[in-house]
Amino acid sequence: MAKYNITEKKEKVAAYRSLVSPRMMDEMQEQIMNIIVMQKKYRDKDYSAKKLAADIGTNTRYISAVVNVRFHMNYSSFVNKYRIDEAMTILVDKRYQDLDMEDVGYMVGFANRQAFYGSFYRFVGITPRQYRLEHLKKHPAMVSKK
């Protein structure tokens, strides 16, 4: 008997995805990237898909469709990916070595330590603290002298 009851994840087909034309998807993808990445809205813990939709002038279903189709993840994972990427940079930057993990999480847009640790572990496979320690072992010159 199997220890865990694991079922294969079925791909859902959302009808509204087909309502967004390829041209409209291209335009919305560009707008989403501009707002989330270039304007660094991912740092705002309160910047929701609803606010993004309002800024673009569309609805959350279309935002969801574009993020799912073009980036192969949901909105939260999409935003968290950019937060984690920046956190990884901060964690190994000697200018920020005095910051604790919670501060790093807040800097990149997480509402609390648990959300930061959970997302970091999902994306990277280790905790932020482990990531910093492993990097410092590989690059000891990065440790600031006090």
Side-chain angles (χ1 to χ4, degrees):
M1 178 169 231
K3 187 173 182 180
Y4 300 103
N5 185 14
I6 299 173
T7 57
E8 196 172 311
K9 189 175 179 182
K10 294 178 183 164
E11 186 69 29
K12 294 180 201 169
V13 178
Y16 60 86
R17 288 183 191 167
S18 62
L19 298 175
V20 185
S21 71
R23 192 179 118 265
M24 189 174 170
M25 278 232 184
D26 289 342
E27 290 170 10
M28 287 179 64
Q29 178 182 359
E30 191 173 316
Q31 290 174 313
I32 290 168
M33 290 298 291
N34 178 45
I35 292 170
I36 298 295
V37 182
M38 302 308 287
Q39 296 177 28
K40 297 187 187 280
K41 289 288 188 177
Y42 62 84
R43 289 181 177 167
D44 180 353
K45 67 180 175 53
D46 298 318
Y47 197 74
S48 63
K50 189 174 184 176
K51 288 181 181 177
L52 176 61
D55 288 349
I56 291 176
T58 188
N59 62 52
T60 55
R61 284 186 176 257
Y62 281 14
I63 296 293
S64 178
V66 173
V67 171
N68 275 269
V69 171
R70 294 297 171 96
F71 304 107
H72 309 289
M73 57 184 84
N74 64 28
Y75 177 79
S76 295
S77 294
F78 174 71
V79 170
N80 286 343
K81 176 188 176 298
Y82 289 99
R83 290 174 175 164
I84 297 303
D85 286 348
E86 184 169 357
M88 289 169 68
T89 302
I90 291 169
L91 287 168
V92 299
D93 189 323
K94 65 182 175 184
R95 295 174 294 177
Y96 300 109
Q97 290 303 301
D98 293 336
L99 290 180
D100 63 21
M101 296 305 127
E102 201 166 357
D103 292 333
V104 173
Y106 289 141
M107 276 179 76
V108 298
F110 285 99
N112 58 55
R113 183 181 183 276
Q114 292 79 9
F116 175 48
Y117 264 71
S119 287
F120 196 97
Y121 192 85
R122 262 190 301 286
F123 278 95
V124 185
I126 56 176
T127 67
R129 187 173 186 283
Q130 288 172 310
Y131 181 82
R132 178 183 268 171
L133 292 173
E134 284 183 18
H135 187 277
L136 292 176
K137 276 185 214 168
K138 292 177 187 169
H139 307 283
M142 297 295 277
V143 179
S144 59
K145 307 276 190 258
K146 290 189 176 183

